[in-house]
Amino acid sequence: MSHKSPFNCGKTFYANNWIGTPAHNPSGSIDWQDYGGDDINGETVRATAAGTATFNDAGSTSYGKWIEIRHSDGTRTRYAHLATMVRSAGSTLSVSQGTVIGTVGSTGGSNAPHLHYEQRTSTGAMDTSPTVDGVTVSLGQKKAITSSNGCGSSNPYTPEEVCGSGYSVIDSAALTGGRTYLLYNSGNGYNCVVTLKSTNLGSATAVSALLEPQGESRTTDSGSYDYYAGPVRRDAAGQCVKWGGSVGSSSYTSGFEHCD
């Protein structure tokens, strides 16, 4: 199983497979940390390989908010001390390599913002020399790794760019030929939905985005677009929302969720 860095394309952070006193627990796990002037706190976390993600919350202990992804070969990866997750604890989500799953924080038994990351075998044993983006980080090593995660997509737009300043991705759903995203702006209480194409880029084809606060009318942007549909923005502070979109005949519509 080939893994990429858990961060946005082009981002560089230190992968620290440290040993010392007290010992890193479990031994062989990676602490992703600040590199140069780039602060890792709040960074987008992406799946390093495709699989099924399970979302967990240990509260103020241990991993805090954390995610395990089981991959097709039985191996698994773990992402811990997250500030936010795109699904609530107890939920599962099918993810592709590069799918946004959360943001970096310092929840659980953490002393400072960082991403705790593990690669485990199909039996659950730790891989103490994990390889990420072609770089192997053995016990005691600390290496700066630049992410190539998400670089393969040729859509020049990101959900954050389309929705605008202050919006962050909180959920997404895969479509054949693209992906639809739900974002939230904590500063003004607005949600935003955008559907990005991954095929027929630069050609006008059918694509849509929808957003419906519970108890209110639905807003839909639907048409033939070169790269994306949306942004659809609605004031939904403290309300459940139904959201989704389509690319061609492939569509997704959620139930009412994300109510806080």
Side-chain angles (χ1 to χ4, degrees):
M1 180 66 64
S2 177
H3 292 271
K4 296 195 173 189
S5 166
F7 302 107
N8 288 340
C9 176
K11 283 285 190 176
T12 302
F13 291 109
Y14 275 123
N16 191 359
N17 192 348
W18 59 272
I19 52 177
T21 304
H24 198 192
N25 185 26
S27 180
S29 53
I30 297 292
D31 276 355
W32 291 91
Q33 300 169 330
D34 296 353
Y35 175 79
D38 206 344
D39 183 3
I40 200 168
N41 191 29
E43 279 291 327
T44 296
V45 177
R46 298 178 178 270
T48 60
T52 300
T54 302
F55 297 81
N56 309 274
D57 191 346
S60 60
T61 65
S62 185
Y63 290 156
K65 288 183 171 65
W66 68 283
I67 299 165
E68 179 174 87
I69 300 177
R70 289 181 177 263
H71 307 288
S72 59
D73 60 357
T75 62
R76 62 199 80 169
T77 47
R78 291 184 175 184
Y79 314 72
H81 307 311
L82 299 170
T84 63
M85 304 185 295
V86 300
R87 285 279 196 272
S88 59
S91 301
T92 60
L93 178 68
S94 178
V95 299
S96 303
Q97 187 174 64
T99 297
V100 174
I101 55 174
T103 59
V104 176
S106 189
T107 59
S110 170
N111 295 321
H114 69 284
L115 178 67
H116 175 100
Y117 173 77
E118 302 174 12
Q119 290 182 6
R120 291 177 176 254
T121 68
S122 57
T123 64
M126 286 292 299
D127 180 350
T128 57
S129 295
T131 299
V132 180
D133 259 309
V135 180
T136 299
V137 187
S138 299
L139 281 169
Q141 293 185 327
K142 180 180 181 180
K143 296 182 177 180
I145 299 177
T146 300
S147 177
S148 67
N149 209 343
C151 299
S153 172
S154 55
N155 193 316
Y157 300 95
T158 67
E160 294 87 350
E161 286 175 324
V162 176
C163 285
S165 177
Y167 286 92
S168 298
V169 173
I170 59 171
D171 209 342
S172 69
L175 300 166
T176 301
R179 180 172 284 271
T180 187
Y181 297 85
L182 176 68
L183 297 86
Y184 184 69
N185 186 326
S186 59
N188 61 17
Y190 274 68
N191 280 107
C192 177
V193 176
V194 58
T195 302
L196 298 184
K197 295 166 52 177
S198 60
T199 56
N200 298 313
L201 295 168
S203 299
T205 59
V207 58
S208 71
L210 67 90
L211 179 57
E212 179 184 341
Q214 192 163 16
E216 299 181 24
S217 61
R218 176 179 297 187
T219 300
T220 302
D221 178 31
S222 179
S224 293
Y225 300 120
D226 291 351
Y227 294 101
Y228 61 84
V232 178
R233 303 184 189 91
R234 293 288 296 275
D235 185 357
Q239 288 177 273
C240 304
V241 295
K242 182 178 288 187
W243 62 280
S246 65
V247 176
S249 61
S250 177
S251 65
Y252 171 81
T253 302
S254 75
F256 285 108
E257 56 184 15
H258 296 289
C259 302
D260 50 357

mmCIF file of all heavy atoms in Angstrom, residues 85-133:
data_model
loop_
_atom_site.group_PDB
_atom_site.id
_atom_site.type_symbol
_atom_site.label_atom_id
_atom_site.label_comp_id
_atom_site.label_asym_id
_atom_site.label_seq_id
_atom_site.Cartn_x
_atom_site.Cartn_y
_atom_site.Cartn_z
ATOM 1 N N MET A 85 -13.361 16.619 12.892
ATOM 2 C CA MET A 85 -13.490 15.469 12.008
ATOM 3 C C MET A 85 -14.693 15.706 11.099
ATOM 4 O O MET A 85 -15.657 16.361 11.501
ATOM 5 C CB MET A 85 -13.687 14.171 12.799
ATOM 6 C CG MET A 85 -12.597 13.889 13.820
ATOM 7 S SD MET A 85 -12.764 12.265 14.642
ATOM 8 C CE MET A 85 -14.312 12.484 15.547
ATOM 9 N N VAL A 86 -14.666 15.161 9.890
ATOM 10 C CA VAL A 86 -15.757 15.411 8.946
ATOM 11 C C VAL A 86 -16.993 14.567 9.241
ATOM 12 O O VAL A 86 -18.052 14.781 8.638
ATOM 13 C CB VAL A 86 -15.316 15.187 7.481
ATOM 14 C CG1 VAL A 86 -14.180 16.109 7.112
ATOM 15 C CG2 VAL A 86 -14.942 13.724 7.227
ATOM 16 N N ARG A 87 -16.871 13.605 10.152
ATOM 17 C CA ARG A 87 -18.009 12.806 10.593
ATOM 18 C C ARG A 87 -17.984 12.746 12.122
ATOM 19 O O ARG A 87 -16.934 12.896 12.750
ATOM 20 C CB ARG A 87 -17.948 11.386 10.041
ATOM 21 C CG ARG A 87 -18.304 11.266 8.553
ATOM 22 C CD ARG A 87 -19.798 11.250 8.352
ATOM 23 N NE ARG A 87 -20.182 10.783 7.028
ATOM 24 C CZ ARG A 87 -20.310 11.536 5.954
ATOM 25 N NH1 ARG A 87 -20.048 12.823 6.043
ATOM 26 N NH2 ARG A 87 -20.693 11.027 4.790
ATOM 27 N N SER A 88 -19.128 12.498 12.730
ATOM 28 C CA SER A 88 -19.203 12.378 14.179
ATOM 29 C C SER A 88 -18.652 11.028 14.623
ATOM 30 O O SER A 88 -18.576 10.069 13.839
ATOM 31 C CB SER A 88 -20.650 12.534 14.636
ATOM 32 O OG SER A 88 -21.470 11.552 14.038
ATOM 33 N N ALA A 89 -18.259 10.945 15.902
ATOM 34 C CA ALA A 89 -17.728 9.707 16.469
ATOM 35 C C ALA A 89 -18.741 8.578 16.299
ATOM 36 O O ALA A 89 -19.939 8.759 16.518
ATOM 37 C CB ALA A 89 -17.391 9.908 17.937
ATOM 38 N N GLY A 90 -18.244 7.409 15.886
ATOM 39 C CA GLY A 90 -19.102 6.265 15.637
ATOM 40 C C GLY A 90 -19.498 6.107 14.181
ATOM 41 O O GLY A 90 -20.017 5.063 13.788
ATOM 42 N N SER A 91 -19.229 7.132 13.371
ATOM 43 C CA SER A 91 -19.566 7.084 11.953
ATOM 44 C C SER A 91 -18.454 6.431 11.148
ATOM 45 O O SER A 91 -17.313 6.325 11.598
ATOM 46 C CB SER A 91 -19.800 8.501 11.405
ATOM 47 O OG SER A 91 -20.835 9.150 12.089
ATOM 48 N N THR A 92 -18.801 6.005 9.941
ATOM 49 C CA THR A 92 -17.814 5.498 8.992
ATOM 50 C C THR A 92 -17.968 6.245 7.672
ATOM 51 O O THR A 92 -19.011 6.845 7.399
ATOM 52 C CB THR A 92 -17.969 3.985 8.749
ATOM 53 O OG1 THR A 92 -19.272 3.731 8.212
ATOM 54 C CG2 THR A 92 -17.772 3.200 10.034
ATOM 55 N N LEU A 93 -16.910 6.199 6.851
ATOM 56 C CA LEU A 93 -16.920 6.900 5.573
ATOM 57 C C LEU A 93 -15.945 6.220 4.633
ATOM 58 O O LEU A 93 -14.797 5.951 4.994
ATOM 59 C CB LEU A 93 -16.507 8.368 5.773
ATOM 60 C CG LEU A 93 -16.410 9.253 4.527
ATOM 61 C CD1 LEU A 93 -17.791 9.473 3.923
ATOM 62 C CD2 LEU A 93 -15.762 10.596 4.878
ATOM 63 N N SER A 94 -16.388 5.923 3.422
ATOM 64 C CA SER A 94 -15.499 5.398 2.390
ATOM 65 C C SER A 94 -14.688 6.554 1.829
ATOM 66 O O SER A 94 -15.266 7.564 1.392
ATOM 67 C CB SER A 94 -16.314 4.719 1.287
ATOM 68 O OG SER A 94 -15.471 4.255 0.261
ATOM 69 N N VAL A 95 -13.359 6.435 1.839
ATOM 70 C CA VAL A 95 -12.494 7.539 1.436
ATOM 71 C C VAL A 95 -11.559 7.116 0.318
ATOM 72 O O VAL A 95 -11.167 5.946 0.210
ATOM 73 C CB VAL A 95 -11.669 8.086 2.622
ATOM 74 C CG1 VAL A 95 -12.575 8.622 3.703
ATOM 75 C CG2 VAL A 95 -10.734 7.027 3.187
ATOM 76 N N SER A 96 -11.205 8.061 -0.504
ATOM 77 C CA SER A 96 -10.166 7.891 -1.503
ATOM 78 C C SER A 96 -8.871 8.467 -0.960
ATOM 79 O O SER A 96 -8.878 9.196 0.041
ATOM 80 C CB SER A 96 -10.547 8.613 -2.801
ATOM 81 O OG SER A 96 -11.785 8.171 -3.299
ATOM 82 N N GLN A 97 -7.751 8.150 -1.597
ATOM 83 C CA GLN A 97 -6.515 8.825 -1.223
ATOM 84 C C GLN A 97 -6.702 10.320 -1.460
ATOM 85 O O GLN A 97 -7.102 10.747 -2.544
ATOM 86 C CB GLN A 97 -5.348 8.306 -2.063
ATOM 87 C CG GLN A 97 -3.998 8.841 -1.633
ATOM 88 C CD GLN A 97 -2.869 8.186 -2.412
ATOM 89 O OE1 GLN A 97 -2.771 8.340 -3.625
ATOM 90 N NE2 GLN A 97 -2.027 7.430 -1.722
ATOM 91 N N GLY A 98 -6.474 11.126 -0.424
ATOM 92 C CA GLY A 98 -6.637 12.567 -0.539
ATOM 93 C C GLY A 98 -7.941 13.112 -0.019
ATOM 94 O O GLY A 98 -8.105 14.333 0.083
ATOM 95 N N THR A 99 -8.898 12.242 0.338
ATOM 96 C CA THR A 99 -10.153 12.727 0.905
ATOM 97 C C THR A 99 -9.903 13.478 2.207
ATOM 98 O O THR A 99 -9.151 13.012 3.068
ATOM 99 C CB THR A 99 -11.119 11.558 1.173
ATOM 100 O OG1 THR A 99 -11.450 10.926 -0.065
ATOM 101 C CG2 THR A 99 -12.405 12.037 1.832
ATOM 102 N N VAL A 100 -10.519 14.645 2.358
ATOM 103 C CA VAL A 100 -10.391 15.416 3.597
ATOM 104 C C VAL A 100 -11.133 14.692 4.715
ATOM 105 O O VAL A 100 -12.300 14.324 4.565
ATOM 106 C CB VAL A 100 -10.959 16.833 3.416
ATOM 107 C CG1 VAL A 100 -10.962 17.583 4.747
ATOM 108 C CG2 VAL A 100 -10.149 17.611 2.381
ATOM 109 N N ILE A 101 -10.441 14.457 5.851
ATOM 110 C CA ILE A 101 -11.064 13.749 6.967
ATOM 111 C C ILE A 101 -11.117 14.584 8.246
ATOM 112 O O ILE A 101 -11.840 14.248 9.177
ATOM 113 C CB ILE A 101 -10.360 12.404 7.251
ATOM 114 C CG1 ILE A 101 -8.851 12.610 7.498
ATOM 115 C CG2 ILE A 101 -10.581 11.430 6.096
ATOM 116 C CD1 ILE A 101 -8.114 11.336 7.923
ATOM 117 N N GLY A 102 -10.348 15.667 8.342
ATOM 118 C CA GLY A 102 -10.369 16.477 9.564
ATOM 119 C C GLY A 102 -9.343 17.589 9.516
ATOM 120 O O GLY A 102 -8.820 17.934 8.444
ATOM 121 N N THR A 103 -9.053 18.153 10.694
ATOM 122 C CA THR A 103 -8.037 19.190 10.817
ATOM 123 C C THR A 103 -7.140 18.913 12.031
ATOM 124 O O THR A 103 -7.569 18.297 13.008
ATOM 125 C CB THR A 103 -8.650 20.592 10.966
ATOM 126 O OG1 THR A 103 -9.488 20.612 12.131
ATOM 127 C CG2 THR A 103 -9.463 20.970 9.745
ATOM 128 N N VAL A 104 -5.920 19.400 11.963
ATOM 129 C CA VAL A 104 -4.938 19.195 13.028
ATOM 130 C C VAL A 104 -5.319 19.987 14.270
ATOM 131 O O VAL A 104 -5.751 21.142 14.192
ATOM 132 C CB VAL A 104 -3.533 19.621 12.557
ATOM 133 C CG1 VAL A 104 -2.523 19.514 13.702
ATOM 134 C CG2 VAL A 104 -3.073 18.769 11.381
ATOM 135 N N GLY A 105 -5.140 19.357 15.441
ATOM 136 C CA GLY A 105 -5.393 20.041 16.699
ATOM 137 C C GLY A 105 -4.520 19.500 17.806
ATOM 138 O O GLY A 105 -3.391 19.065 17.571
ATOM 139 N N SER A 106 -5.068 19.500 19.026
ATOM 140 C CA SER A 106 -4.301 19.058 20.190
ATOM 141 C C SER A 106 -5.233 18.412 21.213
ATOM 142 O O SER A 106 -5.065 18.585 22.418
ATOM 143 C CB SER A 106 -3.555 20.243 20.808
ATOM 144 O OG SER A 106 -2.645 19.818 21.810
ATOM 145 N N THR A 107 -6.225 17.645 20.723
ATOM 146 C CA THR A 107 -7.172 16.996 21.630
ATOM 147 C C THR A 107 -6.552 15.753 22.266
ATOM 148 O O THR A 107 -5.557 15.220 21.791
ATOM 149 C CB THR A 107 -8.471 16.608 20.891
ATOM 150 O OG1 THR A 107 -8.144 15.716 19.808
ATOM 151 C CG2 THR A 107 -9.168 17.832 20.341
ATOM 152 N N GLY A 108 -7.180 15.290 23.357
ATOM 153 C CA GLY A 108 -6.670 14.101 24.051
ATOM 154 C C GLY A 108 -5.412 14.404 24.840
ATOM 155 O O GLY A 108 -5.214 15.516 25.336
ATOM 156 N N GLY A 109 -4.545 13.408 24.946
ATOM 157 C CA GLY A 109 -3.311 13.555 25.725
ATOM 158 C C GLY A 109 -2.202 14.183 24.923
ATOM 159 O O GLY A 109 -1.143 13.574 24.700
ATOM 160 N N SER A 110 -2.415 15.402 24.460
ATOM 161 C CA SER A 110 -1.457 16.113 23.623
ATOM 162 C C SER A 110 -1.005 17.390 24.323
ATOM 163 O O SER A 110 -1.810 18.076 24.947
ATOM 164 C CB SER A 110 -2.095 16.467 22.280
ATOM 165 O OG SER A 110 -1.286 17.342 21.537
ATOM 166 N N ASN A 111 0.288 17.706 24.187
ATOM 167 C CA ASN A 111 0.831 18.906 24.830
ATOM 168 C C ASN A 111 0.880 20.112 23.907
ATOM 169 O O ASN A 111 1.019 21.238 24.363
ATOM 170 C CB ASN A 111 2.242 18.623 25.359
ATOM 171 C CG ASN A 111 2.242 17.597 26.474
ATOM 172 O OD1 ASN A 111 1.352 17.610 27.323
ATOM 173 N ND2 ASN A 111 3.213 16.699 26.469
ATOM 174 N N ALA A 112 0.808 19.870 22.593
ATOM 175 C CA ALA A 112 0.868 20.958 21.620
ATOM 176 C C ALA A 112 0.274 20.466 20.301
ATOM 177 O O ALA A 112 0.249 19.261 20.044
ATOM 178 C CB ALA A 112 2.319 21.401 21.410
ATOM 179 N N PRO A 113 -0.221 21.366 19.477
ATOM 180 C CA PRO A 113 -0.833 20.932 18.214
ATOM 181 C C PRO A 113 0.139 20.143 17.333
ATOM 182 O O PRO A 113 1.269 20.585 17.087
ATOM 183 C CB PRO A 113 -1.218 22.257 17.543
ATOM 184 C CG PRO A 113 -1.388 23.222 18.674
ATOM 185 C CD PRO A 113 -0.337 22.830 19.671
ATOM 186 N N HIS A 114 -0.289 18.988 16.905
ATOM 187 C CA HIS A 114 0.466 18.155 15.968
ATOM 188 C C HIS A 114 -0.464 17.053 15.483
ATOM 189 O O HIS A 114 -1.541 16.852 16.034
ATOM 190 C CB HIS A 114 1.711 17.547 16.630
ATOM 191 C CG HIS A 114 1.426 16.513 17.664
ATOM 192 N ND1 HIS A 114 0.971 16.822 18.944
ATOM 193 C CD2 HIS A 114 1.503 15.149 17.623
ATOM 194 C CE1 HIS A 114 0.806 15.710 19.633
ATOM 195 N NE2 HIS A 114 1.106 14.677 18.855
ATOM 196 N N LEU A 115 -0.052 16.329 14.449
ATOM 197 C CA LEU A 115 -0.818 15.171 13.995
ATOM 198 C C LEU A 115 -0.060 13.899 14.346
ATOM 199 O O LEU A 115 1.056 13.679 13.874
ATOM 200 C CB LEU A 115 -1.054 15.220 12.483
ATOM 201 C CG LEU A 115 -1.820 14.010 11.924
ATOM 202 C CD1 LEU A 115 -3.261 13.987 12.435
ATOM 203 C CD2 LEU A 115 -1.787 13.984 10.407
ATOM 204 N N HIS A 116 -0.664 13.072 15.191
ATOM 205 C CA HIS A 116 -0.121 11.752 15.512
ATOM 206 C C HIS A 116 -0.597 10.800 14.423
ATOM 207 O O HIS A 116 -1.792 10.696 14.147
ATOM 208 C CB HIS A 116 -0.630 11.310 16.886
ATOM 209 C CG HIS A 116 -0.241 9.916 17.269
ATOM 210 N ND1 HIS A 116 0.812 9.645 18.115
ATOM 211 C CD2 HIS A 116 -0.766 8.704 16.920
ATOM 212 C CE1 HIS A 116 0.908 8.330 18.287
ATOM 213 N NE2 HIS A 116 -0.039 7.746 17.555
ATOM 214 N N TYR A 117 0.354 10.085 13.793
ATOM 215 C CA TYR A 117 0.039 9.259 12.632
ATOM 216 C C TYR A 117 0.702 7.893 12.766
ATOM 217 O O TYR A 117 1.869 7.793 13.146
ATOM 218 C CB TYR A 117 0.546 9.960 11.369
ATOM 219 C CG TYR A 117 0.438 9.156 10.095
ATOM 220 C CD1 TYR A 117 -0.776 8.998 9.443
ATOM 221 C CD2 TYR A 117 1.570 8.572 9.529
ATOM 222 C CE1 TYR A 117 -0.871 8.279 8.261
ATOM 223 C CE2 TYR A 117 1.489 7.855 8.344
ATOM 224 C CZ TYR A 117 0.263 7.710 7.715
ATOM 225 O OH TYR A 117 0.177 6.985 6.551
ATOM 226 N N GLU A 118 -0.070 6.851 12.479
ATOM 227 C CA GLU A 118 0.445 5.480 12.558
ATOM 228 C C GLU A 118 0.145 4.718 11.281
ATOM 229 O O GLU A 118 -0.904 4.915 10.659
ATOM 230 C CB GLU A 118 -0.213 4.720 13.727
ATOM 231 C CG GLU A 118 -0.034 5.363 15.085
ATOM 232 C CD GLU A 118 -0.832 4.641 16.170
ATOM 233 O OE1 GLU A 118 -1.324 3.512 15.893
ATOM 234 O OE2 GLU A 118 -0.967 5.200 17.269
ATOM 235 N N GLN A 119 1.073 3.833 10.928
ATOM 236 C CA GLN A 119 0.811 2.815 9.920
ATOM 237 C C GLN A 119 0.908 1.469 10.612
ATOM 238 O O GLN A 119 1.917 1.176 11.272
ATOM 239 C CB GLN A 119 1.813 2.904 8.766
ATOM 240 C CG GLN A 119 1.619 4.130 7.887
ATOM 241 C CD GLN A 119 2.593 4.189 6.723
ATOM 242 O OE1 GLN A 119 3.362 3.262 6.490
ATOM 243 N NE2 GLN A 119 2.553 5.282 5.981
ATOM 244 N N ARG A 120 -0.140 0.655 10.472
ATOM 245 C CA ARG A 120 -0.186 -0.650 11.132
ATOM 246 C C ARG A 120 -0.404 -1.755 10.103
ATOM 247 O O ARG A 120 -1.044 -1.541 9.067
ATOM 248 C CB ARG A 120 -1.309 -0.686 12.181
ATOM 249 C CG ARG A 120 -1.039 0.202 13.396
ATOM 250 C CD ARG A 120 -2.208 0.204 14.369
ATOM 251 N NE ARG A 120 -1.921 0.973 15.572
ATOM 252 C CZ ARG A 120 -1.669 0.440 16.771
ATOM 253 N NH1 ARG A 120 -1.673 -0.879 16.918
ATOM 254 N NH2 ARG A 120 -1.422 1.207 17.815
ATOM 255 N N THR A 121 0.108 -2.957 10.416
ATOM 256 C CA THR A 121 -0.060 -4.098 9.543
ATOM 257 C C THR A 121 -1.479 -4.642 9.661
ATOM 258 O O THR A 121 -2.271 -4.180 10.481
ATOM 259 C CB THR A 121 0.937 -5.210 9.904
ATOM 260 O OG1 THR A 121 0.571 -5.747 11.191
ATOM 261 C CG2 THR A 121 2.367 -4.666 9.983
ATOM 262 N N SER A 122 -1.783 -5.661 8.852
ATOM 263 C CA SER A 122 -3.125 -6.251 8.885
ATOM 264 C C SER A 122 -3.410 -6.958 10.208
ATOM 265 O O SER A 122 -4.578 -7.186 10.553
ATOM 266 C CB SER A 122 -3.289 -7.239 7.732
ATOM 267 O OG SER A 122 -2.295 -8.236 7.782
ATOM 268 N N THR A 123 -2.362 -7.275 10.981
ATOM 269 C CA THR A 123 -2.561 -7.892 12.297
ATOM 270 C C THR A 123 -2.681 -6.844 13.399
ATOM 271 O O THR A 123 -2.933 -7.172 14.554
ATOM 272 C CB THR A 123 -1.405 -8.831 12.647
ATOM 273 O OG1 THR A 123 -0.188 -8.071 12.755
ATOM 274 C CG2 THR A 123 -1.232 -9.912 11.583
ATOM 275 N N GLY A 124 -2.472 -5.571 13.054
ATOM 276 C CA GLY A 124 -2.543 -4.490 14.031
ATOM 277 C C GLY A 124 -1.201 -4.073 14.588
ATOM 278 O O GLY A 124 -1.116 -3.119 15.356
ATOM 279 N N ALA A 125 -0.125 -4.761 14.186
ATOM 280 C CA ALA A 125 1.214 -4.415 14.681
ATOM 281 C C ALA A 125 1.688 -3.113 14.046
ATOM 282 O O ALA A 125 1.356 -2.795 12.902
ATOM 283 C CB ALA A 125 2.188 -5.537 14.371
ATOM 284 N N MET A 126 2.500 -2.357 14.796
ATOM 285 C CA MET A 126 3.038 -1.100 14.293
ATOM 286 C C MET A 126 4.098 -1.344 13.230
ATOM 287 O O MET A 126 4.955 -2.209 13.375
ATOM 288 C CB MET A 126 3.665 -0.304 15.442
ATOM 289 C CG MET A 126 2.677 0.342 16.376
ATOM 290 S SD MET A 126 1.753 1.688 15.591
ATOM 291 C CE MET A 126 3.093 2.800 15.161
ATOM 292 N N ASP A 127 4.044 -0.556 12.160
ATOM 293 C CA ASP A 127 5.167 -0.456 11.227
ATOM 294 C C ASP A 127 6.055 0.653 11.780
ATOM 295 O O ASP A 127 5.693 1.826 11.723
ATOM 296 C CB ASP A 127 4.663 -0.107 9.833
ATOM 297 C CG ASP A 127 5.786 0.019 8.808
ATOM 298 O OD1 ASP A 127 6.965 0.027 9.216
ATOM 299 O OD2 ASP A 127 5.480 0.113 7.609
ATOM 300 N N THR A 128 7.194 0.288 12.329
ATOM 301 C CA THR A 128 8.035 1.269 13.029
ATOM 302 C C THR A 128 8.923 2.075 12.083
ATOM 303 O O THR A 128 9.626 2.981 12.521
ATOM 304 C CB THR A 128 8.911 0.584 14.092
ATOM 305 O OG1 THR A 128 9.708 -0.418 13.467
ATOM 306 C CG2 THR A 128 8.040 -0.053 15.175
ATOM 307 N N SER A 129 8.885 1.752 10.781
ATOM 308 C CA SER A 129 9.606 2.535 9.768
ATOM 309 C C SER A 129 8.648 2.859 8.624
ATOM 310 O O SER A 129 8.809 2.358 7.500
ATOM 311 C CB SER A 129 10.832 1.776 9.252
ATOM 312 O OG SER A 129 11.791 1.590 10.267
ATOM 313 N N PRO A 130 7.632 3.672 8.899
ATOM 314 C CA PRO A 130 6.619 3.956 7.875
ATOM 315 C C PRO A 130 7.193 4.755 6.709
ATOM 316 O O PRO A 130 8.127 5.539 6.867
ATOM 317 C CB PRO A 130 5.569 4.762 8.639
ATOM 318 C CG PRO A 130 6.310 5.376 9.775
ATOM 319 C CD PRO A 130 7.358 4.384 10.160
ATOM 320 N N THR A 131 6.619 4.527 5.521
ATOM 321 C CA THR A 131 7.014 5.261 4.321
ATOM 322 C C THR A 131 5.848 6.128 3.863
ATOM 323 O O THR A 131 4.728 5.645 3.698
ATOM 324 C CB THR A 131 7.423 4.298 3.202
ATOM 325 O OG1 THR A 131 8.540 3.516 3.643
ATOM 326 C CG2 THR A 131 7.820 5.060 1.940
ATOM 327 N N VAL A 132 6.114 7.414 3.662
ATOM 328 C CA VAL A 132 5.105 8.385 3.243
ATOM 329 C C VAL A 132 5.686 9.217 2.104
ATOM 330 O O VAL A 132 6.785 9.763 2.234
ATOM 331 C CB VAL A 132 4.690 9.303 4.414
ATOM 332 C CG1 VAL A 132 3.646 10.305 3.964
ATOM 333 C CG2 VAL A 132 4.161 8.491 5.578
ATOM 334 N N ASP A 133 4.946 9.285 0.998
ATOM 335 C CA ASP A 133 5.412 10.031 -0.174
ATOM 336 C C ASP A 133 6.816 9.586 -0.595
ATOM 337 O O ASP A 133 7.662 10.402 -0.966
ATOM 338 C CB ASP A 133 5.369 11.545 0.075
ATOM 339 C CG ASP A 133 4.147 12.189 -0.577
ATOM 340 O OD1 ASP A 133 3.925 11.942 -1.772
ATOM 341 O OD2 ASP A 133 3.415 12.923 0.102
#
